[in-house]
Amino acid sequence: MSADDTPLWLFADQLGPAVHGGEHAHREIVLVEARSALAKRRYHRRKLHLVLSALRHADRELGDRATLIQADSYTDALEQFQRPVLVHQPTSHAAERFVHRLKKQGMVAGILPTPTFALSRKDFQTWAGERTRFRMEDFYRDQRRRFGVLMNGSEPAGNRWNYDEDNREPPPKKQTTLDVPAPYKPREDDIDDQVRHDLDRMNLDTVGADGPRLFAVTPAEAKRALSRFIDHRLPHFGRYEDAIMSQDWAMAHSLLSVPLNLGLLHPLEAVDKAERAYRDGKAPLAATEGFIRQILGWREYMWHLYWHFGPDYTDKNALDARTPLPDWWADLDADAVTARCLHDALKGVHDRGWTHHIQRLMVLGSHALQRGYRPDELTDWFATAYVDGFGWVMPTNVVGMSQHADGGLLATKPYTSGGAYINKMSDHCGDCAYDPKKRLGHDACPFTAGYWAFTHRHRDRLARNMRTRRAVSAMDRLSDLDAVLEQESARDRF
């Protein structure tokens, strides 16, 4: 067999035409369901359903090109296949080490560059150079220039790079939902039914609730989900992208993270379609720029920093956070939580395996930061409990952005707040048992009181940071600080 005819092995997050089409369209495809991988960690039930459904749909759609092998492990599957395979760079350090071991054993004939991101890992290394501090805005502007996105010649469209200030409105008053067209919802088929039956039979230790599939698992579904978002939801997206509404879990978000992270949809395809909507006058610039910044900016930035920071990054714990994740958190037991914002966010993870970015950062992440939950355990939880969580996605998002556990390598300050922020940006606080204005007493908001306890615990570090020193000054003026600290040290309900 010539090297050019070597079969191509696809991991479950490499299932799109960018991986198996183009120059590889002639190759035989190998797909593997490894039972040991499904049972290795405590995944959300919906996540396992999505991954298996995506693999089996790929097998069906690739037809005679594909061979789907069900085995105890990836190694067993490749031994059954009995021929060396090509593979694209996998999407985690552990998987990369594994693939290199297989290459030494002769099971993998070659390792190709990752085709599912806009910027190559080599080009990012050139951009990173000798930097010791990283700013997403610098990277994002370079991405815009490099790929010619939202550019008018050498200048950004609208003469502004970033419309974040226009995309921070609180939820509209006297509404329970944004009242925008619903997101794309796929239709389940016989493959989904069989996956659900097989998962029942496997009796794996999972978390969360099963339910009808909410996310695309084929390239065709991904295209329909993208079109639905661009045509009907993008115009409403930017303005309220940082808001939270208890009866509108999706709001105007794209819900494209799953097909993007499964490799079904290429980021530049989503970016190009959004830009066309803006150029055609069908979407405002602020909304378009906000969406493009999420994909061409933040998502790509997280991917490349994952590799740049290396496999030991998740060991970082600059704030010495040592509290294990509580059982109610790990079990997604929202009923154990009183605070509306935290209850609703945890329930969203339980019911769907998904919440939008502000619930991740400013509710779940902020709570964990204030209470000193271990960043390594939290990273693993986000990666397994969220349907769009994969090995590369969560370390930089959690360790760097959310928990500031890298000491400021990625973000310039810890991201946390008192209840006032949640009260402004959500509709949760009105009927909550806790009062966002109170930091002391039986109805003291755990976020408001927790904010001051966190600030006190890290006062020296925060006082040295220009972006947080005012919080330390404000804390020093609190007349009841000692009582707040005593209250929070004993708090066991949230």
Side-chain angles (χ1 to χ4, degrees):
M1 177 185 293
S2 69
D4 190 57
D5 292 328
T6 305
L8 181 64
W9 173 29
L10 306 184
F11 282 99
D13 54 358
Q14 299 175 331
L15 298 179
V19 185
H20 57 67
E23 63 180 306
H24 301 297
H26 66 288
R27 295 188 190 277
E28 183 179 350
I29 299 299
V30 180
L31 303 165
V32 177
E33 283 186 20
R35 283 183 287 271
S36 60
L38 302 178
K40 186 176 183 180
R41 300 160 84 184
R42 197 181 183 206
Y43 290 106
H44 200 291
R45 168 64 184 246
R46 282 180 178 264
K47 183 185 185 73
L48 294 181
H49 184 270
L50 283 169
V51 168
L52 289 183
S53 180
L55 277 168
R56 295 183 188 184
H57 276 96
D59 177 52
R60 173 179 287 181
E61 293 184 5
L62 289 168
D64 293 340
R65 258 185 91 189
T67 299
L68 175 63
I69 304 172
Q70 296 175 323
D72 287 334
S73 69
Y74 292 116
T75 303
D76 290 344
L78 294 181
E79 287 176 346
Q80 289 181 36
F81 189 64
Q82 296 184 333
R83 290 153 58 195
V85 294
L86 289 175
V87 65
H88 287 90
Q89 293 168 322
T91 58
S92 74
H93 295 292
E96 187 172 62
R97 290 192 298 269
F98 174 60
V99 163
H100 279 281
R101 288 199 302 271
L102 293 177
K103 189 171 186 292
K104 287 181 180 179
Q105 296 169 15
M107 295 185 187
V108 167
I111 304 171
L112 308 169
T114 307
T116 52
F117 290 82
L119 186 68
S120 72
R121 285 168 59 177
K122 181 178 179 181
D123 285 341
F124 181 83
Q125 291 171 359
T126 301
W127 178 85
E130 300 299 319
R131 297 171 194 252
T132 57
R133 289 291 184 269
F134 295 85
R135 291 185 68 248
M136 203 283 283
E137 187 68 20
D138 295 339
F139 174 78
Y140 171 57
R141 293 185 184 189
D142 188 73
Q143 288 277 89
R144 293 264 299 273
R145 295 187 190 100
R146 183 189 298 265
F147 294 102
V149 173
L150 286 182
M151 299 295 295
N152 293 332
S154 61
E155 297 299 319
N159 297 314
R160 282 172 58 188
W161 288 102
N162 190 313
Y163 287 80
D164 194 37
E165 291 183 0
D166 298 340
N167 294 342
R168 297 176 181 169
E169 289 195 29
K173 297 185 184 299
K174 299 180 180 179
Q175 290 182 216
T176 57
T177 70
L178 277 188
D179 195 27
V180 300
Y184 169 78
K185 185 176 180 180
R187 294 180 180 177
E188 290 199 353
D189 58 16
D190 60 307
I191 290 178
D192 291 295
D193 291 340
Q194 186 61 49
V195 167
R196 191 164 282 114
H197 171 78
D198 290 346
L199 287 172
D200 288 341
R201 179 176 48 79
M202 291 179 198
N203 196 29
L204 301 170
D205 182 18
T206 61
V207 295
D210 194 9
R213 183 158 58 83
L214 300 173
F215 301 93
V217 295
T218 72
E221 287 184 345
K223 286 180 180 295
R224 288 195 287 270
L226 174 62
S227 294
R228 176 72 179 176
F229 171 69
I230 297 296
D231 295 343
H232 300 285
R233 295 165 61 79
L234 175 60
H236 311 278
F237 165 70
R239 188 176 173 187
Y240 300 113
E241 68 174 289
D242 283 3
I244 306 170
M245 302 183 79
S246 58
Q247 296 186 44
D248 194 346
W249 69 272
M251 299 184 68
H253 293 278
S254 71
L255 308 190
L256 294 173
S257 57
V258 168
L260 281 166
N261 292 354
L262 288 173
L264 302 167
L265 180 68
H266 196 275
L268 289 179
E269 184 178 355
V271 165
D272 291 346
K273 197 170 182 67
E275 181 171 9
R276 284 200 300 274
Y278 159 67
R279 299 290 185 186
D280 293 342
K282 297 178 180 178
L285 179 56
T288 305
E289 188 277 320
F291 174 67
I292 286 174
R293 182 165 14 100
Q294 284 189 340
I295 294 179
L296 193 63
W298 188 255
R299 182 176 181 272
E300 295 263 324
Y301 191 52
M302 293 295 97
W303 160 256
H304 287 294
L305 287 182
Y306 170 80
W307 294 104
H308 187 79
F309 289 156
D312 297 333
Y313 185 72
T314 51
D315 297 334
K316 293 186 179 297
N317 194 355
L319 301 186
D320 196 32
R322 302 294 176 187
T323 303
L325 289 185
D327 288 343
W328 55 264
W329 180 290
D331 295 339
L332 307 183
D333 184 7
D335 290 338
V337 182
T338 301
R340 275 292 307 280
C341 58
L342 191 55
H343 172 277
D344 279 22
L346 202 60
K347 191 174 190 306
V349 183
H350 177 276
D351 291 351
R352 292 177 289 273
W354 188 93
T355 62
H356 70 69
H357 66 284
I358 294 300
Q359 289 173 297
R360 301 186 198 206
L361 179 65
M362 297 307 296
V363 178
L364 296 168
S366 178
H367 169 83
L369 180 64
Q370 291 179 0
R371 303 298 156 179
Y373 296 164
R374 287 181 47 164
D376 57 346
E377 290 188 3
L378 191 66
T379 301
D380 188 67
W381 178 83
F382 269 103
T384 54
Y386 273 80
V387 293
D388 56 6
F390 288 89
W392 67 271
V393 177
M394 295 305 178
T396 43
N397 273 293
V398 177
V399 173
M401 182 67 175
S402 174
Q403 301 302 293
H404 206 66
D406 65 1
L409 190 60
L410 188 150
T412 56
K413 69 165 189 172
Y415 278 83
T416 188
S417 72
Y421 173 86
I422 297 172
N423 190 30
K424 175 185 176 183
M425 295 305 296
S426 79
D427 57 4
H428 288 316
C429 298
D431 58 353
C432 181
Y434 298 118
D435 186 338
K437 297 186 176 72
K438 291 187 177 181
R439 59 180 174 267
L440 196 61
H442 72 280
D443 58 347
C445 174
F447 281 89
T448 300
Y451 175 80
W452 296 118
F454 171 82
T455 302
H456 182 268
R457 191 162 66 248
H458 301 291
R459 63 168 301 140
D460 293 343
R461 177 184 291 271
L462 299 177
R464 295 193 300 268
N465 187 324
M466 290 184 61
R467 297 191 67 191
T468 55
R469 62 177 56 165
R470 290 178 62 185
V472 177
S473 298
M475 179 192 68
D476 288 339
R477 295 193 295 271
L478 298 181
S479 60
D480 55 1
L481 179 61
D482 289 343
V484 171
L485 297 178
E486 182 179 359
Q487 167 188 275
E488 293 311 296
S489 68
R491 186 188 284 270
D492 59 3
R493 58 185 289 269
F494 298 97

